[in-house]
Amino acid sequence: MPNKTRTGKGDSNLAAVNAYLKKNEARFVRELSEYLEIPSVSAQREHRPDIRRCAAWIAKHCRSIGLATKIYETPGNPIVVARTPPVKGKGRLHYLVYGHYDVQPTDPLGLWVSAPFKPAIRGGRIYARGSSDNKGQHLAHLNAVEAYLKTGTELPCDLTFVLEGEEEVGSARLTEFLLKNRKKFRCDGVVVSDGSMPSLAKPALTYGLRGNVAVEVIVRGPSRDLHSGSFGGAVDNPATVLCRMIAALHDRDGRIAVPGFYRGVVPLSKAERRRLAQDPWTPKALAKFVGVPQLKGEKGYTPEEQRTSRPTLEVNGLTSGYQGEGGKTIVPAWARAKLTCRLVPDQDPSRIAGLVKAHLKRICPPTVRVEFSKGHHGGPAYLIPVTEPSAKAALRALEKAYCHPASMVREGGSIPIVSLFKSALGAETLLLGLGLPSDNTHSPNEAMSLAGYRLGARLGAFLWPELAR
Ligand code: BES
Ligand code: ZN
């Protein structure tokens, strides 16, 4: 229920907007469900037609709610740009609202309770790949804008939605597109809902995200898989070598052993560490939540610091040899690993990729060859300045929408384009994640809570007047 005592002057015309949101709740869920049926996986080539279908679906939806909408073709996936109708008036603020219609791959498919692209509602949550990351989150904003437009309530800001199809693979095309069209996207700020808050009773503004960079490493041994009985022992095994190389990427204290990796890392301030210490997770609860017997990490840092504010190097995938049924006695010809680093200010993604590759080359024995292929595009970390006035406005909007005090949190995920909003457009980004930690993003059984979807639209309703104030 809206908290009447908090809604001050200027919110009276929001009554119609909120009533519209309420009245159309069921249809909004049906529309989300329809959107979620499209398997817009950007990492897999076979889904290219689905990606295009998905861009067309969301463009059509934007048009239907009254936005001037265009699909921009790129060498990769299309970018959908949708603008609110022009309103007369001087000095109106212009905000970009960014989201992504592409989703992560679904594997391991066998662990899904219901099929990833057959949206199913259970226990107040809608289960489907992309529900929380990110279709439900930007659709919630579109629902709010629809409510303004359809009730004839004046939107206090001009909005441009920028919805792309390559976020999960690093936003390379959107980067080029924005660099080429800086003028068109000149704005006073950016709003991105593509993350989470601690709970619906603890709404939060995310003040920082980590950056990301990917490296794919291949160790090549014999020119073909060999009989391990005939040749094993005399020929080095690429899988063993790669595992040894990977093991050498961290020291015993959990620090990354790549020379130069930590150069330029801005140390955590005392104030920052104090803030991060307010984290609601105890190490035990966190271990239980993710299903490990015990946490392990970098010595000298709390789990909350490690998962949000320290750089990491992770193995995301590791492949070699025979994966099929039964056994096969071979020395495999090659072994491959997909690596990514999470980055913090002021680490530079391409410099870090270079350091990791150089280190792997250095430790690779002469019995095999090492090669690299690029995984995905990445980007640097982002922190909103503590003095940013729009952050205060966003916190007020959160409190009004969720009827609970709002806080500031730092998250460990990455949204590669956010740092470009700053460097190319000069705009700060308000990160207002509408999801929850239990949404299983990138995991089997991804879900968005319907209450979170509803409240997200309410946030969309309260946000624009607060930002314009
Ligand atoms: N929604 C996430 C980003 C995110 C995750 C924000 C967790 C806050 C908390 C986004 O869709 C994502 O997954 N981004 C990728 C980017 C990568 C492929 C460059 C990520 O973080 O892995
Ligand atoms: Zn994601």
Side-chain angles (χ1 to χ4, degrees):
M1 274 300 291
N3 183 340
K4 290 264 162 48
T5 58
R6 280 185 191 280
T7 50
K9 192 173 164 280
D11 289 340
S12 52
N13 47 359
L14 281 189
V17 170
N18 279 317
Y20 183 95
L21 289 177
K22 222 173 178 65
K23 201 171 138 218
N24 290 281
E25 259 167 26
R27 173 173 56 86
F28 290 148
V29 173
R30 282 200 301 277
E31 285 166 350
L32 174 58
S33 181
E34 210 179 282
Y35 193 20
L36 290 172
E37 276 176 29
I38 310 171
S40 48
V41 181
S42 50
Q44 297 165 338
R45 214 161 306 156
E46 74 253 35
H47 285 293
R48 282 218 135 183
D50 302 316
I51 282 276
R52 307 191 64 77
R53 207 148 51 82
C54 198
W57 189 97
I58 194 61
K60 189 171 165 211
H61 179 77
C62 290
R63 265 178 219 124
S64 79
I65 67 170
L67 303 181
T69 308
K70 221 175 143 176
I71 300 180
Y72 289 89
E73 294 296 339
T74 75
N77 299 340
I79 298 163
V80 177
V81 177
R83 296 184 189 260
T84 51
V87 177
K88 282 206 188 108
K90 264 204 199 135
R92 283 173 59 82
L93 294 176
H94 175 214
Y95 271 88
L96 298 189
V97 185
Y98 164 82
H100 62 94
Y101 65 80
D102 66 320
V103 304
Q104 284 272 321
T106 58
D107 69 298
L109 198 54
L111 294 182
W112 287 75
V113 173
S114 51
F117 298 111
K118 291 216 162 57
I121 295 174
R122 296 189 293 276
R125 305 164 85 206
I126 184 160
Y127 286 83
R129 172 57 89 228
S131 51
S132 174
D133 187 6
N134 167 256
K135 289 173 177 174
Q137 299 202 35
H138 60 261
L139 204 52
H141 278 285
L142 285 165
N143 294 344
V145 170
E146 172 185 334
Y148 272 94
L149 297 177
K150 298 283 174 180
T151 57
T153 310
E154 186 179 308
L155 256 169
C157 306
D158 298 322
L159 306 180
T160 300
F161 282 81
V162 178
L163 306 171
E164 68 146 323
E166 297 188 15
E167 193 275 345
E168 300 290 9
V169 290
S171 300
R173 271 42 177 267
L174 183 60
T175 300
E176 287 163 23
F177 180 73
L178 287 181
L179 286 173
K180 243 193 255 155
N181 297 281
R182 282 173 208 245
K183 271 205 196 124
K184 231 190 228 153
F185 294 96
R186 198 178 288 152
C187 62
D188 298 290
V190 185
V191 168
V192 178
S193 288
D194 187 23
S196 63
M197 58 182 73
S199 80
L200 296 180
K202 286 185 179 159
L205 172 84
T206 299
Y207 66 90
L209 287 176
R210 285 191 287 192
N212 187 283
V213 70
V215 169
E216 213 171 303
V217 52
I218 307 146
V219 166
R220 294 194 190 279
S223 57
R224 57 203 180 279
D225 289 356
L226 301 175
H227 193 297
S228 63
S230 309
F231 302 100
V235 176
D236 216 347
N237 185 310
T240 311
V241 172
L242 180 58
C243 288
R244 223 186 279 126
M245 287 164 62
I246 288 171
L249 292 175
H250 290 86
D251 70 14
R252 284 205 191 162
D253 292 332
R255 280 177 67 84
I256 294 146
V258 175
F261 186 87
Y262 291 98
R263 202 184 319 135
V265 167
V266 178
L268 291 176
S269 70
K270 274 202 181 126
E272 175 86 52
R273 299 192 88 168
R274 232 177 289 125
R275 200 202 303 267
L276 291 168
Q278 291 164 10
D279 161 46
W281 292 104
T282 63
K284 226 180 172 168
L286 182 58
K288 186 163 179 231
F289 182 72
V290 299
V292 295
Q294 204 178 308
L295 296 179
K296 186 212 171 286
E298 187 185 358
K299 203 173 160 187
Y301 293 90
T302 67
E304 182 67 4
E305 289 167 351
Q306 289 164 23
R307 70 178 195 90
T308 64
S309 316
R310 289 292 295 165
T312 64
L313 190 162
E314 302 282 354
V315 180
N316 306 134
L318 188 55
T319 318
S320 181
Y322 180 65
Q323 312 279 325
E325 198 182 343
K328 188 168 184 239
T329 44
I330 55 166
V331 175
W334 55 265
R336 178 196 303 264
K338 292 175 188 284
L339 310 176
T340 54
C341 297
R342 294 286 167 183
L343 309 176
V344 300
D346 287 326
Q347 288 177 303
D348 174 63
S350 48
R351 182 182 158 264
I352 293 291
L355 291 177
V356 172
K357 287 183 200 171
H359 184 61
L360 287 168
K361 264 192 205 154
R362 213 163 26 236
I363 62 178
C364 179
T367 49
V368 296
R369 299 167 209 90
V370 65
E371 287 171 15
F372 302 100
S373 64
K374 196 157 188 301
H376 60 241
H377 183 80
Y382 177 75
L383 283 179
I384 195 165
V386 281
T387 51
E388 174 56 34
S390 66
K392 301 231 162 55
L395 288 168
R396 287 198 302 272
L398 282 169
E399 300 198 339
K400 285 184 175 175
Y402 292 81
C403 303
H404 285 285
S407 68
M408 307 259 279
V409 298
R410 190 163 168 172
E411 290 200 272
S414 313
I415 304 174
I417 204 69
V418 166
S419 64
L420 194 85
F421 290 141
K422 181 71 189 275
S423 62
L425 308 178
E428 299 295 350
T429 296
L430 294 167
L431 296 158
L432 295 163
L434 308 179
L436 293 172
S438 52
D439 285 352
N440 296 327
T441 57
H442 296 205
S443 294
N445 304 307
E446 178 177 348
M448 172 115 194
S449 87
L450 294 176
Y453 179 52
R454 246 183 342 253
L455 284 164
R458 240 174 90 78
L459 174 66
F462 282 107
L463 184 62
W464 309 116
E466 286 304 331
L467 288 174
R469 228 166 84 169

